[in-house]
Amino acid sequence: MRVRNHALDGLRGLAALGVLTLHVWMFTVQGAHRRDELVSLLTGELRLGVVLFFVLSGYLLAGPWVASALEERPTPRLGRFAVKRAARIVPAYWVAMLGSFWLLAGTGHADEVSAGQLPLFAAFGQNYVGAVAGRLDPPMWSLVVEVSFYAVLPLAGWLLVRCARRGRMVVACAGLAGLGLAWSAAGALLAWPETAMATLPTFLPVFACGMAAAALAHRRVPSRASWWALVVAGAALVCADAWWHHQGTGLTGHVVRDLPAALGFAFVVAAVAAHPPAVLSGAPLRGLGTISYGLYLWHLPVLLWLRFEGLMASGFVVPWIEVSVLAAAVAYLSWVFVERPVIDAVGRWRPWTRRVPSFPAELHIKPLPSVA
């Protein structure tokens, strides 16, 4: 019996809402507060929502290979994996890309691109070309990294299967993280351009944290005390990372980046996967998680449209409500008319005869009342 963990959807929804809040703050009141003020720390470090996205991807997508290694299941079929990932990411991304192009065309805005540059965005290549990097719909940079992770995951999954044991899997994930840290160190010392740094190797340690959590947490149910220890330790690491980067990190921060936060999120994700709190599994956050991809893609175009039309109020709270409500509406339409139909169509198309393991599979999860 396959059971979807809606609490992880809730975490994904909170991450998307955090990134939305950050961008509304950047376009409204950023600069009105000194860097050492609490509001600047709390709002500016909402950028860590992207780190949470990457950790969740590492945890969930490595799961089938972990299950294959620890339970002697068949490994995932690469063709089906590729089709499912493309169905989940590409159609909604292309629609948002075209929507952003239409919105910016002829405005002279700094993010505007030419029609001839659209194929680069369509192929998830914008991070590698300085002339267009960070333009059109800036949050899309993370999708380039995400798709790169999909491309190398089968190789990483093969490595996990070869390891066969939890401890060896964690060591392998640590090795992947070490490669990413070496890449970041070389980039910082040699002053590599951003086109070299906004790539998968830089964020490999973050994905590796999620993969290691999948290996350690598979089929394990922590005690209540262990559950709270994971959550508290994870939250402490995320907060420590935010404070560290807010104060300025120097060369060390350019190498380590947000690895402490990634470790913290991995603790939290493992705990939530084992015992989903009711607050994360409830309808509001579950619904937010369902439309989180569209919310991530569309919130900045919506914000810019409100500004172009002179509809954005002053201050922060009212603009935040405007952007949140309108972006959620657009994200819901994206889910209903683009994302879900494609996902359902791929789910009905079964040219492969071998069953593909999912994660978590055949594991009925119930939340503990004590952590609800």
Side-chain angles (χ1 to χ4, degrees):
M1 179 179 179
R2 297 181 182 182
V3 179
R4 185 178 183 88
N5 191 323
H6 293 295
L8 296 181
D9 290 334
L11 280 179
R12 188 180 290 107
L14 288 175
L17 189 62
V19 174
L20 179 152
T21 302
L22 169 63
H23 287 144
V24 174
W25 175 75
M26 290 173 62
F27 277 84
T28 54
V29 297
Q30 185 182 24
H33 305 281
R34 296 191 307 273
R35 183 174 175 80
D36 59 347
E37 289 188 351
L38 181 61
V39 64
S40 178
L41 169 62
L42 294 178
T43 312
E45 292 305 314
L46 289 174
R47 66 182 181 82
L48 293 175
V50 176
V51 176
L52 177 53
F53 280 133
F54 289 162
V55 171
L56 280 168
S57 290
Y59 181 87
L60 293 171
L61 297 180
W65 279 276
V66 171
S68 176
L70 298 181
E71 300 180 18
E72 298 184 352
R73 296 185 180 188
T75 56
R77 284 293 182 98
L78 299 187
R80 185 159 181 79
F81 169 79
V83 169
K84 290 179 69 174
R85 287 295 89 202
R88 184 65 190 98
I89 294 294
V90 175
Y93 171 86
W94 281 349
V95 172
M97 177 191 72
L98 294 174
S100 298
F101 176 76
W102 172 81
L103 173 67
L104 295 172
T107 63
H109 192 275
D111 290 338
E112 182 183 359
V113 299
S114 68
Q117 293 169 325
L118 282 182
L120 192 61
F121 285 86
F124 297 91
Q126 64 268 32
N127 286 17
Y128 312 118
V129 179
V132 296
R135 296 173 63 184
L136 191 60
D137 186 353
M140 286 181 173
W141 74 267
S142 66
L143 274 301
V144 178
V145 177
E146 183 84 6
V147 169
S148 301
F149 176 63
Y150 298 163
V152 303
L153 180 59
L155 179 60
W158 173 84
L159 179 62
L160 293 178
V161 172
R162 294 286 294 175
C163 290
R165 296 179 182 177
R166 295 180 197 270
R168 292 177 181 175
M169 291 182 187
V170 173
V171 171
C173 292
L176 293 176
L179 290 176
L181 292 175
W183 175 273
S184 294
L189 293 172
L190 300 177
W192 287 352
E194 188 60 25
T195 50
M197 304 311 296
T199 56
L200 176 63
T202 300
F203 298 94
L204 193 57
V206 177
F207 288 105
C209 287
M211 295 170 61
L216 287 174
H218 183 72
R219 297 287 190 178
R220 285 181 170 175
V221 180
S223 65
R224 185 175 294 108
S226 298
W227 190 94
W228 279 109
L230 285 171
V231 172
V232 172
L237 281 169
V238 173
C239 292
D241 181 272
W243 180 259
W244 180 45
H245 281 272
H246 181 74
Q247 294 299 310
T249 59
L251 177 62
T252 302
H254 284 85
V255 175
V256 177
R257 293 182 175 260
D258 291 306
L259 183 57
L263 287 170
F265 282 133
F267 289 168
V268 173
V269 167
V272 169
H275 291 316
V279 66
L280 290 176
S281 304
L285 286 181
R286 185 175 63 198
L288 186 64
T290 300
I291 65 170
S292 60
Y293 184 45
L295 192 68
Y296 186 80
L297 289 172
W298 282 103
H299 72 273
L300 199 54
V302 164
L303 187 155
L304 291 176
W305 179 81
L306 289 171
R307 285 171 61 91
F308 291 163
E309 299 297 322
L311 299 176
M312 182 173 286
S314 59
F316 170 76
V317 176
V318 175
W320 182 86
I321 294 173
E322 289 178 318
V323 174
S324 298
V325 171
L326 187 54
V330 177
Y332 177 75
L333 294 175
S334 174
W335 170 251
V336 171
F337 294 107
V338 181
E339 299 168 54
R340 186 170 63 184
V342 176
I343 294 171
D344 291 345
V346 169
R348 292 190 297 267
W349 183 50
R350 298 181 181 277
W352 293 273
T353 57
R354 186 170 62 141
R355 186 168 181 170
V356 180
S358 63
F359 182 74
E362 301 173 0
L363 179 60
H364 188 71
I365 304 173
K366 294 182 178 180
L368 291 183
S370 60
V371 296

